[in-house]
Amino acid sequence: MSSSLEFALGITLVPPDSVAREPLAASAARAGLRVVDGLEEASLALVDLTQPAGGPALRALLDSPRAASLTLVVLVEPGETGFTTAEALKPADILTLPVATHELAWRLRRAAARHREREEQARSQEDLSLLLELTAEYAETSDVEALLHGVTRRLAEKLDIARATLVMLGRNADEGIIVAASDDPALKDLRIELSRYPEIREVMRTGKPVVMQEASTHPLLGDVERRAVAARGIHAIAALPLPIRGQVRGVLLVRAAGTRRTFTTREIDFLTTVAHATAVALRNASVLQSVRGQTEAEKTARLAAEEQAASFKPYQLFFAHVSEGVAILDDKACVLSLNPSGAAMLDLPAPDARGRHLHQVTQPVDENVLMELVTTASHGEARSGVDVEVCTAAGRRLTLSMSAAPMRDEDAATILSFRDVTDARKLEYELRQTKDFLERLIDSSVDAIIAADLKGRIILFNKGAEALCGYTAQEALGGLSVHQLYPPGVAKRIMAMLRGPEHGGKGRLSLTREELMHRSGERVPVSMTASLVYEGGREVFSVGIFTDLRARMQLERKLSDVETRLEESEKSAVIVALAGTAAHELNQPLTSVMGYAELLKRRLKEEDFAWKPVDIIYREAERMAEIVRKIGKITRYETKSYMGAQQILDLDKATSHED
């Protein structure tokens, strides 16, 4: 099985005996690159200018045919001289020795990304160049059949595919006609049964491209078609629609075989564009011969257009001073008149536009949108504010906002006005992207974010707020007041704090603890910050960020309980230790007292005066010994009431578990 590095970009070291070979070997794999010797397999080069041989090796590198396609990463000595030398090479990155392995890997990964981006730009430029060439040929060539074969042949060569075919749909829905094939210039007007081409039928049904990357197993094909595809060694099939006047009239069919196994997304987009341009060329085949104004028919049309334009002089005098572009069209959508603003917008002299079809003048990206607008107006219905992307005669890509209305003149059918909204639409797109990003950012926040206008109406309520307050964003934005989210009076107090300078400055509220009202009626403790948003010095709305403290407060309560139990445990430990010490110290004197009292009792008789006091001493000493014994057995702290509110140690309970 092939290693993943087998298909990775190659990087070579210049000069090959540089001391950077070891760190390069350690870093290249981490950057997803493979180290190669020589320039044949290399896409990147690590040039070590700190070595004496670095200069000659660099000159040899720059003189090689591969130099233009290499991305350079340069190692230099620290200092201005090294960087000045390296900058002239326009490298992807510059490093100084010593360089850490992880840093070199990161910089190589970034250089590889730039190399891939540059290659992608080069491929896109090649696509654009070929597309421009094809478009020019569509406009200049009168032999449509030879042109279509040339298009299929060049597509096959560019994409390195087995075959490219143009198939037009016949009068019968089950019949197709091959009008051009890349591998056979004589193959044309060949009728085929569409039942054998499920991919073409699917394009006809949906009007969208069909791409089968693994054709031999694709479910769209039947068993017979799969076996046929496998027998021919076809790996992938793409079928692109040729839309003419809103309907699929043909298909551009391409097949990959041999070393090519799939089509990339970029290639499918390119083929779709070519198919669209081909459809436009087929539709306008009848006027291709006169596109440059060289035929007599075009001259006649130009003269007729000039005669008609003369009748519109009153309009022209008015339109000449209008900042918007204005064009008057006949019933075939050919230009009768174009005002100076429109001519400047389209980079086309007004006289050159007369008699030409509107599509030729504007070169729209999507001709269906433009033609639908004009057709609707010619049928008596005015339309306005339709965005159409066009390409001017100078190659500029513009977005024009167009409006069309019918004219009640016997010669003219439609008046078309347009203005350049390219920058406005670009700004709208950027603002929309920024808005979407901010909305995603706000919604992804764990904290609740709530904004309200000065009347208390909620205008922002993110998912964190939904979880915290129990309301959905739709409910909150549908009429919920911010006052309902606070206990009574709290919202007004917070606004007063915001407007004062004491709590973080005017218009700002530093971190503080408050409570929010959950939908269920529960009071939710939160920490919050808030601010007022101003516009031209005027308060517009307020916004608050809230953090749910319930989990934190529950944790604090648990910690407090643990601390209390720890204190009680420590207190019990101190009492037990003190009790043991007291019992040990009191046992010795009590033993002496009891011993001497016992001796006195033995020497005295019961009738003696002193015998009773001595007996009392002995019995009380015994009682004290019992108390000391209990003190010595204390293992926990238990108290009982003594003389009102006073608490004393309960010896019986403190030692009861030892009984």
Side-chain angles (χ1 to χ4, degrees):
M1 202 172 165
S2 300
S3 168
S4 61
L5 284 178
E6 182 180 344
F7 304 102
L9 294 178
I11 182 169
T12 189
L13 182 62
V14 179
D17 57 350
S18 166
V19 295
R21 177 166 289 277
E22 184 175 346
L24 175 61
S27 303
R30 295 174 63 177
L33 304 173
R34 56 190 176 94
V35 180
V36 297
D37 294 325
L39 301 178
E40 291 302 321
E41 299 182 46
S43 298
L44 294 90
L46 179 62
V47 182
D48 186 359
L49 295 182
T50 65
Q51 302 293 307
L58 174 62
R59 286 191 290 274
L61 170 66
L62 296 178
D63 291 338
S64 69
R66 291 276 298 159
S69 61
L70 287 176
T71 296
L72 303 182
V73 178
V74 183
L75 285 170
V76 299
E77 295 285 356
E80 184 177 353
T81 303
F83 276 85
T84 302
T85 303
E87 283 178 348
L89 302 175
K90 297 182 179 179
D93 213 333
I94 304 175
L95 301 90
T96 59
L97 289 175
V99 58
T101 302
H102 66 274
E103 180 186 355
L104 181 57
W106 182 85
R107 291 178 181 269
L108 291 180
R109 191 180 300 113
R110 187 172 66 171
R114 290 183 180 178
H115 181 83
R116 292 189 181 94
E117 182 180 350
R118 189 177 68 174
E119 285 189 330
E120 183 64 25
Q121 290 175 349
R123 285 192 290 267
S124 298
Q125 188 61 40
E126 290 176 3
D127 291 348
L128 180 59
S129 298
L130 178 56
L131 185 60
L132 290 175
E133 290 176 14
L134 293 177
T135 304
E137 291 178 5
Y138 282 146
E140 297 173 356
T141 305
S142 58
D143 189 346
V144 178
E145 293 180 353
L147 173 64
L148 294 180
H149 168 70
V151 169
T152 56
R153 178 181 54 79
R154 294 176 70 176
L155 285 177
E157 292 173 353
K158 173 178 172 52
L159 300 178
D160 189 22
I161 55 178
R163 193 182 198 191
T165 309
L166 280 172
V167 181
M168 301 304 294
L169 304 182
R171 295 181 180 179
N172 189 337
D174 296 329
E175 183 183 63
I177 303 171
I178 296 179
V179 296
S182 61
D183 55 349
D184 188 355
L187 183 59
K188 55 186 177 181
D189 297 333
L190 176 63
R191 298 184 181 275
I192 59 175
E193 295 179 9
L194 296 185
S195 59
R196 297 169 52 193
Y197 297 86
E199 63 274 26
I200 296 180
R201 294 202 309 272
E202 183 67 11
V203 172
M204 293 171 55
R205 186 182 69 83
T206 64
K208 297 179 180 178
V210 172
V211 182
M212 296 184 286
Q213 298 290 19
E214 296 183 6
S216 60
T217 60
H218 200 278
L220 187 61
L221 300 181
D223 292 337
V224 175
E225 290 85 1
R226 290 175 191 166
R227 286 196 295 270
V229 164
R232 296 177 189 174
I234 297 173
H235 305 305
I237 298 175
L240 299 312
L242 302 178
I244 299 177
R245 296 189 183 277
Q247 293 183 345
V248 177
R249 298 296 188 185
V251 172
L252 171 61
L253 188 65
V254 293
R255 295 174 175 178
T259 57
R260 168 176 280 279
R261 307 193 69 86
T262 61
F263 294 108
T264 66
T265 303
R266 178 186 60 80
E267 290 169 341
I268 295 300
D269 291 341
F270 172 71
L271 288 170
T272 302
T273 305
V274 171
H276 185 86
T278 304
V280 174
L282 290 171
R283 179 187 170 218
N284 295 326
S286 60
V287 297
L288 285 175
Q289 296 179 352
S290 59
V291 73
R292 292 290 185 181
Q294 300 298 320
T295 65
E296 196 63 33
E298 198 272 346
K299 293 179 181 178
T300 302
R302 185 183 296 275
L303 291 173
E306 289 176 355
E307 290 177 1
Q308 288 180 321
S311 64
F312 296 116
K313 278 191 176 180
Y315 299 116
Q316 292 173 352
L317 293 175
F318 172 73
F319 294 149
H321 298 88
V322 176
S323 60
E324 290 189 354
V326 178
I328 299 175
L329 312 177
D330 63 13
D331 57 352
K332 296 180 181 179
C334 292
V335 177
L336 298 175
S337 173
L338 180 66
N339 75 333
S341 296
M345 217 175 291
L346 297 174
D347 298 325
L348 182 71
D352 290 352
R354 294 194 190 106
R356 298 177 66 181
H357 193 275
L358 179 63
H359 176 268
Q360 296 174 283
V361 174
T362 58
Q363 303 180 61
V365 174
D366 187 346
E367 68 164 359
N368 293 330
V369 175
L370 178 59
M371 295 314 299
E372 182 185 358
L373 173 68
V374 175
T375 302
T376 302
S378 65
H379 291 165
E381 181 181 345
R383 292 188 61 186
S384 61
V386 177
D387 283 359
V388 179
E389 289 190 32
V390 304
C391 185
T392 70
R396 292 189 303 138
R397 192 77 168 264
L398 301 179
T399 300
L400 302 180
S401 178
M402 292 189 170
S403 300
M407 289 192 71
R408 305 186 185 282
D409 191 288
E410 61 180 6
D411 295 317
T414 307
I415 180 170
L416 183 72
S417 64
F418 49 93
R419 55 190 177 89
D420 186 358
V421 293
T422 307
D423 292 338
R425 295 297 181 263
K426 183 178 179 182
L427 180 60
E428 287 176 8
Y429 174 78
E430 292 174 353
L431 289 175
R432 187 163 53 251
Q433 292 290 99
T434 303
K435 177 177 176 291
D436 292 343
F437 169 75
L438 292 176
E439 286 180 349
R440 290 195 301 271
L441 182 65
I442 291 171
D443 267 344
S444 63
S445 173
V446 176
D447 291 335
I449 303 176
I450 302 173
D453 61 18
L454 297 183
K455 293 184 179 180
R457 292 187 296 257
I458 294 175
I459 57 177
L460 174 63
F461 201 78
N462 74 336
K463 293 190 181 299
E466 290 182 344
L468 186 64
C469 300
Y471 297 96
T472 65
Q474 185 177 2
E475 290 171 334
L477 300 176
L480 188 68
S481 171
V482 73
H483 297 277
Q484 296 173 252
L485 301 179
Y486 292 100
V490 174
K492 290 184 178 180
R493 175 168 58 81
I494 289 175
M495 285 300 294
M497 294 166 67
L498 275 171
R499 290 178 172 130
E502 300 87 4
H503 304 281
K506 186 177 180 181
R508 299 175 63 86
L509 178 61
S510 55
L511 191 65
T512 184
R513 282 199 177 190
E514 294 291 347
E515 288 183 336
L516 288 182
M517 297 298 298
H518 191 271
R519 183 174 190 167
S520 63
E522 175 191 0
R523 292 197 175 204
V524 181
V526 296
S527 63
M528 67 169 290
T529 59
S531 61
L532 284 172
V533 178
Y534 296 90
E535 187 176 289
R538 181 175 59 87
E539 294 177 1
V540 180
F541 62 89
S542 61
V543 60
I545 302 176
F546 307 84
T547 302
D548 191 347
L549 296 180
R550 285 177 291 189
R552 179 177 174 182
M553 293 179 70
Q554 185 178 6
L555 180 61
E556 288 176 352
R557 284 195 295 271
K558 289 181 179 179
L559 289 174
S560 177
D561 292 343
V562 171
E563 288 176 357
T564 301
R565 288 196 296 271
L566 181 60
E567 288 176 0
E568 291 177 354
S569 176
E570 290 175 349
K571 186 184 294 183
S572 296
V574 170
I575 290 173
V576 169
L578 179 61
T581 303
H584 176 73
E585 295 298 330
L586 290 174
N587 266 332
Q588 291 181 355
L590 280 174
T591 301
S592 298
V593 171
M594 291 176 66
Y596 282 113
E598 180 69 25
L599 288 174
L600 286 173
K601 283 180 66 177
R602 289 179 180 180
R603 292 189 178 188
L604 295 173
K605 298 180 179 179
E606 288 189 13
E607 60 268 18
D608 290 341
F609 171 77
W611 188 90
K612 187 173 182 180
V614 170
D615 182 57
I616 292 172
I617 291 172
Y618 179 79
R619 283 188 285 106
E620 291 300 318
E622 269 191 336
R623 193 160 71 87
M624 289 179 66
E626 177 63 21
I627 293 173
V628 170
R629 184 181 68 80
K630 289 183 178 181
I631 291 174
K633 292 183 177 181
I634 290 176
T635 59
R636 58 184 178 179
Y637 180 68
E638 294 284 349
T639 61
K640 64 181 179 179
S641 300
Y642 177 74
M643 294 182 66
Q646 189 173 356
Q647 297 287 318
I648 63 174
L649 186 67
D650 189 335
L651 287 176
D652 292 331
K653 290 184 179 180
T655 61
S656 61
H657 65 291
E658 294 287 342
D659 295 343

